[in-house]
Structures are given as C-alpha cells and as structure tokens.
Amino acid sequence: MVKLDYNYCMADYIGDRLGICEKELASYENKVKKAHNALMEKAGKELGFYNLPYDRDNVKYIKETLKKYKDKYDTQVVLGIGGSGLGPAALQSSLLNYISNELPKEKRKGMRTYIIDNVDPEWFSDIMEVIDPKNTLFVMISKSGSTAETAADFLACFTKFRDVLGSNLKEHLVVVTDPQKGELRRMANEFGLDSFPIPENVGGRFSVLSSVGLVPGELMGIDIEALLDGAADMDKATRKGDLFSNMAYLSATIEYILYLKGVNISVLMPYSTKLGKWADWYVQLWAESLGKKVDRDGAYVYVGPTPLKGVGATDQHSQVQLFKEGPYDKVITFIRVEKFKNTVNLDGDDKFKNYSSLSYLMGHTMNELINAEEMATEAALAKEGKPSKTLILPEINEYYIGQMIFFFEVATAISGELYNINAFDQPGVEEGKNFTYALLGRNGYEEKKKEFETLYNKSSKFIM
Ligand code: PA5
C-alpha cells in the first residue's frame, strides 16, 4: 500500500511556527467527519469518479473495441487538453519506457503515443513531421465535445492528412466523450466512429480512470485493470470518516490547517523524473478544483492554495533554495519510490578513487542516491521549520499509480468540503474561453466581442 509520512508537518519536529500539534489536528476530527458525510452523500452519484475503479464492463468494451486498431496501427495521436490530456500523458511517462516512442516495435509495450494538448503551431508541426497517417489512430478526447484547442487540433490533423483521413475517417479516428451530449458525440454518431464514454457525472480532471486514461492507456500497452485495482484499494482505504484512519483526509486536513496559517502554496515534488507529469496532473486537479471566488453560501472568498510542480533531485538545483530560505508559505509533498525497477550501480573504476567528488559515490547505487537526496531535503527543510510530508510509493507500476491517483482525487474532494466550495466546477475558465470564441467570430458571441474590445483597450504608453 502507498503510505503517507507526515512527521515533518508536526510541531514536535518542525517547531511551533507552522508545526501542527496532535491536539490541534484532533480538533478537526468533527469538521472532517461532517465533510466526509457530505462527500459520501455525493459519492457515486454526482461524484462519479468514485465508481470508476469498479467499471470493469467499460474495460472489457475498451479492450474488445481497440483490438482491431492495435493489430493495425503503430502510432496513436491523442488530442485532448486539461483533464483530457494530462492523465494520458502522465500514464505514458510513468508506466512506459520514458522514451518508448524511440524504441523499435518489438521492444515497445504498445503503440507509439503522441499527446497533443496545445495549439502551438510550431510544436504541432514538429509532431506532425514524425506521423505517418496511414499507420496512425487519432484519439480525440473531449468531455464537452466543444473545447477550442482540441477542435483546432482535430481540424489541423485533418487538414494536414486530408488524403488519408478524408476518405477513411472512420478507420483512423476514435472518440472519447460524453455518452449522450455534445458535438463530438454527434460526430461519432454521424460518421459511425467507435466511441468510448466519459460518464456524465465524472468531471474532466477526475477522469483519468475513465475511458480518458484507459483508451490511450490500453493502446500504449499499460495494464489498465491493475490501474483500477490500485484505485479500488485506495478507495476502500479512504472511505473512513475518521481523520486519523484516512490518509487522504489527513493529508488534505494538514494542508487546510497550514493554509489557514498562511501557507498558500502546495508543492508536489516527486523524486522521479518519470513521475514528473503526475505533478502537472496534480497542479490542474488542485488549481481548478480549489481556486474559487465564491463559497457554497454565496460569499466571496477568493480561496485556494496555489499548486506548484517540482521534480527531485533536479529542482534541488532550482527551487529548493527558495523552499528552504524563502517565505513560510509552502507545504511540500514529496513522493519517494521505495523500490525502483532498475538498479543503477555507480561502481566506476579504481582509477577514480583519488577523486573525492567521485569516490564517495562509488559502491553505491543511483537508487540510494536519489532517495538519500529526498530524505536530506526533507530534513533540511524541517530544520528551518518548513513543513513537508512524503507519499511513499512501493514501486512505480500500474497498481500503485492507481492508488496514488485515487489518493489525490479523494484529498481534493475532501478539501472542497473543508473550504466549503464546489470543487467540481470551473466557472473561472469560461470567461477567457468566451472571449476567444468572440475573437474568432463564433456566432452568438457578438456582445462578448464588444466587451473584449472595451477591456482590451490598451495604451501604447505602457508598451516599450
Ligand atoms: O477539469 C476540467 O473539467 C477541464 O480541465 C477539462 O478537462 C478541460 O477543459 C477539457 O475539457 P473537455 O474534455 O471538455 O475538452
């Protein structure tokens, strides 16, 4: 099981400035119990992410439907942004060879995978250079079916490969979207495309364990059943309303208490490059869920801890100086991997024995080094009174990644209850989307265009 070590959030270890004492933590037991009851009323109903670990019919359907594509194609191009892109990207980088696309076919677990989650014309064109459309399945993922970037990426792929996609769209495109609603659903019906559902009650950033992650996951060759097994076990472990028996609630409550003390930055720092994209995923999950202007009673609260990504040991040479000596405004969640799949020896050779910068490493492994660095950073921060906790992953595999995903989802959901905000909407991103539609002349956005022109009336005086 994944474990949570929160010693270095406790006053016994980091002192009184930010450290929490056991009594203080215990004083939140009732609040957490209430939050838990509220959450459990919605779990499996409005909050469909609780059902995903158990939806094995969908797994069966995905496996059966994708078989013909796996036999036929070598590459998948995933088109999806936000919750529809970050999960697949994190699955790819953590569970496959990190540069799997470069391996010969016989050494790969599944299809080469490219994830397009932006509308950067240069980056898009760079990817297109390595795509052979005849050998490629395009996987378009959008819950709403109307996201501008995903729509544009689809049109751009179609335009670029019209000769292949024009006459054979059905063979080269599958979609992941709402089971009933939206234009992508309409397209799937009208063009007879294979399609995979995102349950109506599962929001984008909570959707990695739905078809959103499972379809690209199955195509890239990961064990999607083990992923769900891990999530199911974490679900069981985090169904308890008692604060001290529930690691996701404990983690969220600690961050909540610290937020009330002015700690408004929540860093996720895996000591593993392969887990780095899970920090990107976490940033979206935390930011979009908890950054809210209005609480459930309609009061303006402008609440939300700012999530930040770090990757150890790389960012010891970048951010850790600030974490240690900068303001007392951060809590860091480290992720430590107990047992890496590979052991990399640092034996070197006797001829390096006289170099003190090399000799102390010789005889050790890279595995020992990265974990020593993680523990050393924890201790260095604790010495300064800076709070951190550590999520300990026994290994990087589908089962434990499934546990980790579910842990963060539950921690986010309970945080929404603690902050008394709706963690499952994202009204703040609508305004920018609407202005973009207006700028591109979408019908019905004429008034927005006028509003934009009033707002964007900039003075050349302030442009150098
Ligand atoms: O969490 C969310 O709801 C968002 O980040 C969405 O995932 C993102 O905007 C993409 O939306 P869609 O899947 O509708 O294209």
Side-chain angles (χ1 to χ4, degrees):
M1 202 67 194
V2 166
K3 282 187 284 200
L4 177 74
D5 171 357
Y6 60 100
N7 275 283
Y8 286 164
C9 287
M10 304 309 285
D12 289 352
Y13 290 94
I14 63 167
D16 290 337
R17 180 163 184 161
L18 289 180
I20 302 169
C21 59
E22 279 184 67
K23 239 181 160 179
E24 188 181 2
L25 200 50
S27 72
Y28 282 82
E29 277 186 293
N30 277 342
K31 189 173 170 74
V32 170
K33 187 104 196 153
K34 269 199 206 135
H36 167 77
N37 292 340
L39 204 57
M40 286 305 107
E41 278 194 15
K42 292 179 272 192
K45 294 170 214 136
E46 300 106 284
L47 303 187
F49 80 88
Y50 274 101
N51 298 330
L52 297 175
Y54 309 100
D55 190 357
R56 302 305 168 112
D57 287 346
N58 192 40
V59 170
K60 215 168 139 220
Y61 170 69
I62 287 172
K63 284 183 177 283
E64 274 164 15
T65 313
L66 291 180
K67 200 173 174 314
K68 60 177 183 276
Y69 300 105
K70 285 167 81 175
D71 293 342
K72 200 161 160 194
Y73 299 126
D74 171 62
T75 301
Q76 66 168 324
V77 171
V78 177
L79 312 173
I81 195 168
S84 294
L86 287 160
L91 291 172
Q92 176 188 24
S93 61
S94 57
L95 295 169
L96 302 182
N97 179 306
Y98 196 74
I99 43 171
S100 177
N101 286 345
E102 291 176 33
L103 294 175
K105 193 170 181 170
E106 60 283 4
K107 289 205 165 174
R108 269 186 269 130
K109 288 185 175 175
M111 288 185 184
R112 290 196 307 158
T113 298
Y114 295 94
I115 294 168
I116 300 189
D117 69 348
N118 203 354
V119 283
D120 170 351
E122 281 197 25
W123 178 71
F124 176 85
S125 304
D126 289 350
I127 295 176
M128 289 302 111
E129 270 189 51
V130 298
I131 300 302
D132 166 12
K134 287 196 224 65
N135 217 350
T136 298
L137 180 68
F138 292 85
V139 181
M140 188 169 171
I141 308 181
S142 175
K143 170 90 191 292
S144 61
S146 60
T147 299
E149 295 84 355
T150 309
D153 287 327
F154 166 70
L155 287 176
C157 289
F158 189 90
T159 311
K160 168 103 184 143
F161 300 127
R162 188 189 302 269
D163 48 342
V164 175
L165 301 184
S167 50
N168 290 317
L169 190 63
K170 194 168 143 36
E171 261 116 77
H172 286 276
L173 176 66
V174 298
V175 304
V176 179
T177 190
D178 188 279
Q180 254 106 44
K181 292 196 300 248
E183 295 226 327
L184 195 51
R185 175 52 56 195
R186 179 151 76 87
M187 247 175 81
N189 295 343
E190 290 179 5
F191 289 91
L193 309 174
D194 275 323
S195 66
F196 304 88
I198 310 170
E200 200 264 322
N201 55 2
V202 174
R205 54 195 174 274
F206 289 85
S207 68
V208 58
L209 299 172
S210 75
S211 310
V212 168
L214 302 186
V215 168
E218 172 66 14
L219 292 169
M220 66 180 78
I222 67 168
D223 182 347
I224 57 175
E225 276 166 311
L227 190 73
L228 297 187
D229 289 345
D233 284 349
M234 183 55 80
D235 176 34
K236 284 176 198 113
T238 55
R239 283 278 178 160
K240 299 165 198 133
D242 167 36
L243 171 62
F244 290 99
S245 320
N246 186 322
M247 59 190 286
Y249 289 3
L250 252 178
S251 183
T253 305
I254 286 170
E255 297 226 6
Y256 177 71
I257 296 172
L258 289 169
Y259 182 82
L260 299 180
K261 296 182 182 184
V263 177
N264 55 16
I265 299 176
S266 170
V267 182
L268 184 64
M269 188 166 183
Y271 266 67
S272 155
T273 298
K274 291 190 67 152
L275 294 178
K277 285 213 191 293
W278 286 111
D280 291 323
W281 170 84
Y282 168 78
V283 164
Q284 190 225 6
L285 181 67
W286 206 243
E288 240 175 33
S289 302
L290 303 182
K292 297 288 150 74
K293 177 159 88 173
V294 180
D295 73 7
R296 284 223 173 89
D297 306 317
Y300 287 99
V301 285
Y302 295 97
V303 82
T306 301
L308 184 69
K309 172 190 180 178
V311 173
T314 312
D315 286 327
Q316 281 182 204
H317 302 265
S318 158
Q319 295 169 306
V320 169
Q321 167 63 30
L322 173 71
F323 295 171
K324 182 159 160 55
E325 295 193 355
Y328 283 80
D329 60 358
K330 298 172 197 70
V331 51
I332 294 140
T333 305
F334 296 106
I335 303 180
R336 186 195 314 148
V337 180
E338 259 177 345
K339 192 171 171 290
F340 289 92
K341 244 179 242 110
N342 302 299
T343 300
V344 179
N345 283 313
L346 306 177
D347 290 346
D349 189 278
D350 274 357
K351 60 173 158 280
F352 303 124
K353 276 235 153 99
N354 290 334
Y355 295 88
S356 62
S357 63
L358 298 176
S359 61
Y360 78 100
L361 293 168
M362 287 159 65
H364 290 289
T365 63
M366 198 180 272
N367 311 45
E368 286 177 84
L369 175 61
I370 194 160
N371 284 345
E373 295 204 58
E374 187 274 322
M375 291 186 272
T377 307
E378 275 184 57
L381 293 176
K383 193 173 158 193
E384 202 69 53
K386 299 288 172 74
S388 76
K389 49 194 159 66
T390 303
L391 201 64
I392 303 166
L393 243 64
E395 274 180 62
I396 302 179
N397 62 24
E398 282 84 345
Y399 178 72
Y400 293 119
I401 293 289
Q403 287 195 3
M404 185 187 74
I405 291 170
F406 214 81
F407 167 84
F408 283 120
E409 290 182 344
V410 173
T412 306
I414 198 77
S415 296
E417 300 301 326
L418 295 173
Y419 285 99
N420 190 31
I421 47 105
N422 181 355
F424 303 96
D425 64 0
Q426 53 286 326
V429 298
E430 290 309 314
E431 194 82 80
K433 273 191 197 171
N434 292 338
F435 282 141
T436 307
Y437 294 150
L439 282 173
L440 292 180
R442 188 167 173 173
N443 274 344
Y445 290 82
E446 297 73 16
E447 283 306 310
K448 273 279 153 203
K449 177 108 193 277
K450 283 190 208 144
E451 191 189 342
F452 177 82
E453 280 161 2
T454 315
L455 276 170
Y456 211 77
N457 181 17
K458 292 188 174 179
S459 164
S460 58
K461 194 167 107 187
F462 302 121
I463 301 175
M464 289 179 73

